[in-house]
Amino acid sequence: MTSLTRRTLMGGCAAGTLLAVAGSTGARAATRTTASSTASDDAALQAAISDLSHPPATSAQLRVDRRGDGWYGTAGTADIDSGRPVRPDDQFRAGSVTKAFVATVVLQLWAEGRVELDAPIGRYVPDLLPAAFARRITVAQLLHHTSGLPDHRGIPDDSTPEAVLRHRWDRWTPRQWVETVTHDPLKFAPGTKQEYRGINYVLLALLIEKLTAHPYGQAIASRILYPLGLTRTLLPGQDPRLHGPHVHGYLRMTDGSLRDVTVYNQSSAWGEGELVSTLDDLFRFQHALFSGALLPPHALDKLFTLPPDSVRMLDGSPARYSLGLQTATVNGMTFWGKTGETAGYRTRMFATRDLGLRFILSYTPTPLTTQEEMTNRVVAALTA
């Protein structure tokens, strides 16, 4: 996640009231891999992504699989200047979907006996946090967002689209970013509450670097990207540009003008949200992760295990983050996966645990903050 999403981001995908499907505009032809679904199913999915007014967006693409019955559809354009349609191998910024890749590598290292989940983070990276934090916060508490780390201090204002544009060239190191959460006491005793915080995964990425003696992006590449053939997925580091075919992201300024925010230095997001990927690559990663191709069974179970019932979100609602994923139940169907947000981009990657129903949604909203209208429409169509 980049700085604009650090304020209060979002919990489970598609939780709460599902919205009615609105009218459609800018739809492109959809494709499917089997003929078992009805035309009405296809029409509902296409309508769900084709309303590019709720929320305002320049493009959307959705890939769905129902036990081998695949569907793909798009709406809008990858680039408003050229009018080019979106393609499933176009790169986009996937935001906090990064965390699912980081968590996978940490769980691989745990399965290999190279790290203990219940050990304090200070055992492995002793010089990052104040001693009182380092000896109390465990690796597992970072993974499922129960660390209690304090809020950031001294980070740029990102409350307006103009501010986001001003700071998109800022360059941060991970250690500089960690330092911004070291000035106040812990917000709560580690392990007692849950609060979604991107900084937890910056620390986990630094843990990966300590344990592997390689940059965390290189560890993800060697353990996930190369084995799965995810050739269009990368961790860009200080490179602010997308190279090759990609979807552009835009922000609506307060004066009503639309600005392209595709070029953006993601160094402040780093291990919490810098991933660049494609719909095709994320679909392949999702299947490999849930099917056990990346983790042994005892490690895979960690992705589908929430903290004890006594652990609640700060607002008192039930915990919804496991050691790497988040969960939401809609119309009696429980999904697991990850959301991702950064300026001009939204990604939703969710599936049932048995992969009986899964989807990847990527769209490019233009407001700085948006409601879950499109996600709700998609999930309503899938679970009706």
Side-chain angles (χ1 to χ4, degrees):
M1 254 180 282
T2 61
S3 57
L4 74 98
T5 60
R6 288 182 198 107
R7 295 183 290 277
T8 52
L9 261 185
M10 62 182 305
C13 161
T17 302
L18 294 171
L19 303 180
V21 176
S24 64
T25 58
R28 301 283 176 176
T31 60
R32 61 167 43 264
T33 56
T34 75
S36 61
S37 288
T38 66
S40 61
D41 293 333
D42 293 355
L45 290 173
Q46 187 64 61
I49 62 172
S50 292
D51 178 4
L52 298 181
S53 297
H54 302 90
T58 55
S59 72
Q61 57 177 325
L62 172 66
R63 187 176 290 284
V64 172
D65 185 271
R66 298 182 181 94
R67 300 194 182 280
D69 179 17
W71 185 89
Y72 172 77
T74 74
T77 62
D79 176 359
I80 60 176
D81 290 331
S82 69
R84 181 179 70 80
V86 182
R87 296 189 295 254
D89 62 346
D90 282 343
Q91 288 183 325
F92 53 81
R93 299 194 185 279
S96 283
V97 173
T98 309
K99 295 180 177 66
F101 288 75
V102 170
T104 299
V105 172
V106 172
L107 290 174
Q108 286 177 343
L109 293 168
W110 171 69
E112 295 164 10
R114 299 173 66 178
V115 64
E116 294 180 25
L117 297 181
D118 292 331
I121 186 64
R123 175 184 300 180
Y124 305 103
V125 280
D127 57 342
L128 286 175
L129 295 170
F133 296 5
R135 63 172 175 259
R136 295 181 65 189
I137 298 170
T138 68
V139 175
Q141 288 162 354
L142 294 172
L143 280 165
H144 55 43
H145 301 285
T146 59
S147 65
L149 283 168
D151 292 334
H152 293 276
R153 268 203 194 182
I155 65 174
D157 168 59
D158 58 6
S159 59
T160 67
E162 287 78 11
V164 171
L165 282 181
R166 279 197 303 272
H167 292 289
R168 64 173 167 163
W169 305 109
D170 292 357
R171 298 168 67 93
W172 290 80
T173 68
R175 288 176 179 268
Q176 286 174 330
W177 198 250
V178 170
E179 198 273 337
T180 68
V181 298
T182 61
H183 302 292
D184 295 301
L186 291 171
K187 295 175 75 171
F188 52 82
T192 63
K193 297 180 182 180
Q194 191 171 73
E195 182 187 25
Y196 184 77
R197 297 292 305 283
I199 190 64
N200 293 323
Y201 277 71
V202 173
L203 287 160
L204 290 167
L206 288 165
L207 170 67
I208 290 171
E209 295 196 340
K210 185 72 171 183
L211 295 175
T212 65
H214 294 292
Y216 94 100
Q218 185 176 329
I220 286 175
S222 64
R223 289 169 170 268
I224 300 174
L225 306 186
Y226 299 155
L228 297 182
L230 307 186
T231 59
R232 300 278 288 149
T233 299
L234 69 148
L235 290 308
Q238 297 283 359
D239 186 354
R241 301 185 181 276
L242 300 184
H243 303 278
H246 60 271
V247 181
H248 286 244
Y250 302 88
L251 278 184
R252 184 72 65 185
M253 300 292 107
T254 53
D255 65 3
S257 63
L258 201 62
R259 295 287 300 275
D260 191 317
V261 291
T262 307
V263 179
Y264 199 119
N265 187 313
Q266 296 283 312
S267 60
S268 63
W270 202 61
E272 61 172 295
E274 68 166 324
L275 190 79
V276 172
S277 192
T278 70
L279 213 69
D280 281 349
D281 275 9
L282 290 183
F283 212 59
R284 191 174 302 121
F285 167 71
Q286 180 190 57
H287 185 271
L289 181 61
F290 279 50
S291 66
L294 294 173
L295 293 170
H298 67 293
L300 187 61
D301 284 345
K302 298 290 185 182
L303 289 178
F304 303 100
T305 303
L306 296 172
D309 290 342
S310 60
V311 176
R312 296 270 160 162
M313 304 295 295
L314 293 186
D315 63 3
S317 62
R320 54 181 176 266
Y321 297 96
S322 67
L323 300 185
L325 300 179
Q326 62 196 73
T327 186
T329 299
V330 182
N331 292 339
M333 186 170 293
T334 298
F335 292 91
W336 295 86
K338 195 68 196 74
T339 59
E341 304 197 5
T342 191
Y345 298 89
R346 300 290 183 272
T347 306
R348 305 293 182 255
M349 179 183 74
F350 282 87
T352 56
R353 181 171 181 174
D354 66 356
L355 290 173
L357 174 60
R358 62 191 185 106
F359 71 93
I360 310 285
L361 169 66
S362 173
Y363 63 107
T364 51
T366 57
L368 182 57
T369 59
T370 63
Q371 299 300 313
E372 286 293 313
E373 295 164 287
M374 187 175 294
T375 307
N376 289 341
R377 294 194 301 268
V378 167
V379 177
L382 290 173
T383 61

